[in-house]
Amino acid sequence: MSTLVILEQIYGGWHRMSWEALAAAQQMDGPVWAAVAGGANVNTLAADLAGKRLDRAWAVSHQLLTAYTADGYTAALAELIRREQPDLVLLPHTYQVRDFAPKLAARLGRTLVSDVVRIRRDDQGLVFTRQLFQGKLNADYRAVGPGPHFASIQAGACRADQVQAGTAAVEAFTPELDASMIRAAPQDPFREAQRAVDLTAAELIVSVGRGIKEQENIALVQDLAEALGAEFAASRPICDAGWLPMERQVGSSGQTVSPKVYFAVGISGAIQHLVGMKGSKCVVAINKDPNAPIFEIADYGVAADLFEFVPELTEQIRKLRG
Amino acid sequence: MKILAAIKQVPARDSQLRVNDSGTWIEEPDTSEINEPDAYALEEALQLREKAGGEVVALCAGPESASQTIREALAKGADRAIHIEDDDLGRFDSLGIARILAAAAATEQPDLILTGLQSDDLGFGQTGVILAELLGMAHATIIMKVEPRGTGIRVKRELEDGWFQNTDLPLPAVLTIQSGINKLRYATLMGIKKAKLKEVRKLTASGLGVAVEPSVRLERVFMPQRTKQTRMIEGSVRDQAAALVEALRHEVRVL
Ligand SMILES: Cc1cc2nc3c(=O)[nH]c(=O)nc-3n(C[C@H](O)[C@H](O)[C@H](O)COP(=O)(O)OP(=O)(O)OC[C@H]3O[C@@H](n4cnc5c(N)ncnc54)[C@H](O)[C@@H]3O)c2cc1C
Ligand SMILES: Nc1ncnc2c1ncn2[C@@H]1O[C@H](COP(=O)(O)O)[C@@H](O)[C@H]1O
């Protein structure tokens, strides 16, 4: 069984999740292939692949791939996959992959199994495990029919430091692209105004989620943050609602933090939140649902109603600190 | 501008989920609601119509009970709706679902299709992108702003780590909308009354000529296992707080 992993370059470097996907591919038995797409610069970048355990590798390069577009990437990679016929195609589940991989699989008449946490093979073939209901349940999906099968790998599901070194010869692949195929005209990426709040250096963070229910209740959790001398942060829905500024959002579209202790108050533990705080040394989760996914990664769990528990905790901390 | 808004009904966010006896899906939830990003997609469609004129058609595939969500969309201001009624969409994979929606969309020739970026239940994050491929339309994902511009549109895409990107697209196009793009409206009493008179066209997958031919099949649903040794602190609220304070002082040493 051959596995092709499609690695991602972003802003001229490697997306860190590329290596997690490569590690996943190397855990499959059979030949491992890799491809990376881009403009002229991709050839320099692809030189990094020469030191990895890969049976084949391609630098898919074309002037029309210099700026990422779903149209360009889909056409180029579909051409490579049609020619080489891998049995399995793996990608990192990044925002860019979300943007083109479903299209790529559909163009080849297949379905992408997205955001996969585990892949195994039994006597009937491939089984992909992925989450349902924002991590509340897991599901096994079985690949049926002929390959190539497509799967994208969830952030953190595999470890980049497990990529095996070796040697690989990187081949050039020049897809047949034409400017008329590319409909989107993307401009340069930008960041909004400079962040006034830097959560990345905080030692203690208290983060509030939708369990808080109303804007007026936010103060309750803010009190806890003050008593602890912690920075105050939130999950996305709190910032979407305008209850706290965006710059306090933790997660894949917010900040990535790694404090000594991260208090998750009324936060369910969806992967897009977890990727922003999984690096915390210690996670304390407070949630009234004992099955909330946040407890899967917490060090200390309190299954309680935050409206009862948080004021009590704040008071005890205040007493202690005098 | 004619805009289709794809809306899906999902179990309400705080539902207690129970795996069914055969371990193949969940028991029918007590309450259901519109998939969160779809509410934002519908709102964006309504705001675009208010700016540029045209029509908003809600598009939903789901069981009979999804009519609830469709009626709410009509009450908020969608002009009419298409309901592809099906009790067992689970036999289709994401490509199959997109084929059904695409077949229904093709009969409408819309200028713009807005979907949510991801469903709360299946969480594929794919349907809009596949729809675009099947219908031969341009697309962009994780959209935080939509502006009509000449014969096309300019959209603001959310990228990772706080980055954004503006992209110009020709019409027709499919956009997958991110939560938080706009401020949701509530249905008015007048809206709720009017909704009853609006057209809901009923279709079926087989009527649309979409066969069941999945390349992946959901085989088993199960509770996840804890990967970390979580210490669950039990007892009364007061005891729980005291135990946590103890742990923070002596084990974690931050107090
Ligand atoms: C592309 C993309 C990017 C995203 N980026 C981010 C991001 O950067 N950051 C982010 O956070 N999310 C992000 N999300 C959204 C993410 O998927 C989740 O929807 C979000 O994190 C959920 O926030 P929450 O946990 O606060 O809310 P919910 O999931 O609604 O959870 C609320 C929790 O509160 C609990 N609760 C309710 N009442 C009480 C009570 N009285 N006491 C105690 N607990 C209670 C409930 O049991 C529940 O677990 C993104 C999603 C996508 C698709
Ligand atoms: N059965 C459905 N009916 C209507 N829209 C749907 C359906 N399934 C998915 N969608 C749309 O596609 C988006 C992405 O869903 P998914 O690919 O399942 O994550 C959702 O937010 C909806 O807008």
Side-chain angles (χ1 to χ4, degrees):
Chain A
M1 197 193 77
S2 52
T3 302
L4 169 66
V5 53
I6 296 172
L7 306 172
E8 180 165 326
Q9 54 108 3
I10 186 163
Y11 313 131
W14 292 102
H15 193 297
R16 62 187 188 284
M17 281 169 62
S18 290
W19 306 121
E20 299 177 6
L22 175 55
Q26 287 180 333
Q27 282 157 30
M28 305 304 299
D29 39 53
V32 182
W33 306 340
V36 55
N41 70 321
V42 82
N43 295 311
T44 344
L45 201 63
D48 293 342
L49 296 178
K52 312 289 180 205
R53 177 174 79 76
L54 287 170
D55 297 279
R56 295 185 73 183
W58 293 274
V60 179
S61 166
H62 196 287
Q63 183 244 325
L64 289 169
L65 299 175
T66 307
Y68 162 80
T69 59
D71 285 336
Y73 270 50
T74 302
L77 294 167
E79 192 183 324
L80 177 71
I81 291 167
R82 283 204 182 100
R83 189 183 83 180
E84 301 298 339
Q85 305 273 329
D87 297 301
L88 176 64
V89 178
L90 296 182
L91 309 101
H93 192 66
T94 60
Y95 284 25
Q96 184 169 299
V97 163
R98 282 168 169 274
D99 193 66
F100 78 86
K103 181 178 175 73
L104 174 62
R107 182 155 303 176
L108 297 163
R110 314 298 301 174
T111 295
L112 167 74
V113 190
S114 44
D115 217 7
V116 162
V117 296
R118 198 158 61 99
I119 307 174
R120 68 190 161 84
R121 213 142 81 100
D122 61 18
D123 48 6
Q124 291 165 64
L126 289 163
V127 179
F128 305 98
T129 304
R130 60 187 298 281
Q131 298 174 321
L132 299 177
F133 297 97
Q134 306 224 324
K136 293 192 194 89
L137 294 176
N138 278 358
D140 280 346
Y141 282 79
R142 180 172 293 282
V144 292
H149 297 288
F150 288 81
S152 60
I153 311 292
Q154 184 171 87
C158 288
R159 287 176 45 186
D161 61 9
Q162 288 183 351
V163 167
Q164 297 160 24
T167 52
V170 182
E171 303 166 43
F173 182 86
T174 310
E176 282 180 36
L177 297 181
D178 181 286
S180 66
M181 295 166 135
I182 293 166
R183 292 165 288 188
Q187 295 163 20
D188 287 339
F190 62 93
R191 280 194 149 164
E192 309 273 65
Q194 204 54 43
R195 281 174 177 156
V197 185
D198 183 14
L199 299 174
T200 58
E203 293 254 301
L204 296 175
I205 294 179
V206 171
S207 198
V208 61
R210 184 148 47 189
I212 199 69
K213 305 232 164 50
E214 310 273 342
Q215 184 166 18
E216 302 86 85
N217 302 336
I218 297 257
L220 198 81
V221 185
Q222 205 155 10
D223 279 350
L224 172 62
E226 268 164 30
L228 282 160
E231 273 289 356
F232 196 41
S235 67
R236 178 167 191 131
I238 301 298
C239 302
D240 279 350
W243 298 351
L244 282 179
M246 284 292 180
E247 53 198 18
R248 295 204 176 263
Q249 179 177 313
V250 169
S252 67
S253 41
Q255 300 203 36
T256 302
V257 301
S258 50
K260 267 194 183 155
V261 188
Y262 186 89
F263 293 80
V265 183
I267 293 178
S268 63
I271 181 65
Q272 293 85 9
H273 188 80
L274 299 188
V275 293
M277 46 65 77
K278 263 205 302 208
S280 307
K281 306 313 165 280
C282 172
V283 175
V284 178
I286 298 152
N287 196 304
K288 70 165 185 200
D289 174 7
N291 292 321
I294 191 76
F295 289 127
E296 283 158 43
I297 62 121
D299 297 274
Y300 297 95
V302 179
D305 185 335
L306 75 90
F307 296 103
E308 293 170 21
F309 180 76
V310 170
E312 176 67 31
L313 180 64
T314 307
E315 198 190 302
Q316 292 197 20
I317 290 168
R318 286 226 168 97
K319 260 194 206 137
L320 185 76
R321 296 214 147 158
Chain B
M1 190 149 45
K2 185 171 185 179
I3 309 173
L4 288 192
I7 56 170
K8 183 179 186 183
Q9 179 169 294
V10 295
R13 213 173 295 111
D14 274 351
S15 320
Q16 272 306 321
L17 303 176
R18 283 177 304 271
V19 176
N20 65 13
D21 289 339
S22 50
T24 49
W25 191 238
I26 54 159
E27 302 280 3
E28 188 72 29
D30 298 332
T31 45
S32 298
E33 62 192 8
I34 186 170
N35 184 48
E36 183 171 40
D38 303 6
Y40 288 95
L42 173 66
E43 177 61 39
E44 197 60 25
L46 296 174
Q47 291 189 13
L48 283 167
R49 184 191 62 189
E50 280 153 15
K51 269 186 257 169
E55 193 187 17
V56 173
V57 182
L59 173 63
C60 175
E64 209 299 295
S65 62
S67 356
Q68 173 68 29
T69 291
I70 293 172
R71 264 198 305 275
E72 281 165 24
L74 295 171
K76 283 189 173 183
D79 296 287
R80 56 193 174 84
I82 301 172
H83 185 180
I84 303 146
E85 208 176 304
D86 199 300
D87 286 337
D88 183 23
L89 283 175
R91 66 196 192 283
F92 295 96
D93 58 15
S94 56
L95 178 57
I97 300 281
R99 280 189 175 131
I100 296 172
L101 296 173
T107 66
E108 292 283 344
Q109 302 277 323
D111 301 299
L112 197 57
I113 302 181
L114 303 186
T115 74
L117 83 166
Q118 186 164 313
S119 59
D120 265 354
D121 52 358
L122 293 170
F124 288 135
Q126 296 188 33
T127 306
V129 178
I130 307 176
L131 264 178
E133 172 69 10
L134 297 177
L135 293 165
M137 293 184 179
H139 82 267
T141 52
I142 322 193
I143 299 304
M144 288 300 281
K145 193 172 181 184
V146 186
E147 274 176 284
R149 225 182 151 88
T151 57
I153 46 170
R154 170 164 294 181
V155 297
K156 179 179 170 191
R157 293 183 60 211
E158 181 181 302
L159 307 178
E160 283 151 18
D161 297 324
W163 289 85
F164 295 93
Q165 179 177 46
N166 288 324
T167 298
D168 291 334
L169 292 176
L171 296 176
V174 181
L175 305 177
T176 79
I177 302 293
Q178 170 67 293
S179 295
I181 182 177
N182 49 37
K183 242 181 126 34
L184 301 177
R185 75 187 65 192
Y186 292 99
T188 59
L189 262 169
M190 180 61 114
I192 295 168
K193 252 195 210 151
K194 276 196 189 154
K196 297 196 177 105
L197 302 169
K198 290 179 175 170
E199 179 201 34
V200 180
R201 191 149 63 101
K202 300 252 182 177
L203 301 170
T204 61
S206 57
L208 287 164
V210 181
V212 185
E213 39 189 4
S215 57
V216 284
R217 200 175 55 227
L218 209 188
E219 196 168 66
R220 185 170 75 101
V221 175
F222 55 101
M223 294 292 288
Q225 291 202 319
R226 292 209 172 129
T227 48
K228 218 169 172 176
Q229 281 291 333
T230 304
R231 190 177 134 205
M232 292 303 285
I233 298 176
E234 313 285 346
S236 68
V237 163
R238 175 168 299 202
D239 292 347
Q240 283 175 310
L244 183 57
V245 167
E246 266 302 291
L248 291 173
R249 280 186 79 183
H250 300 297
E251 292 169 28
V252 195
R253 293 169 199 268
V254 289
L255 278 184

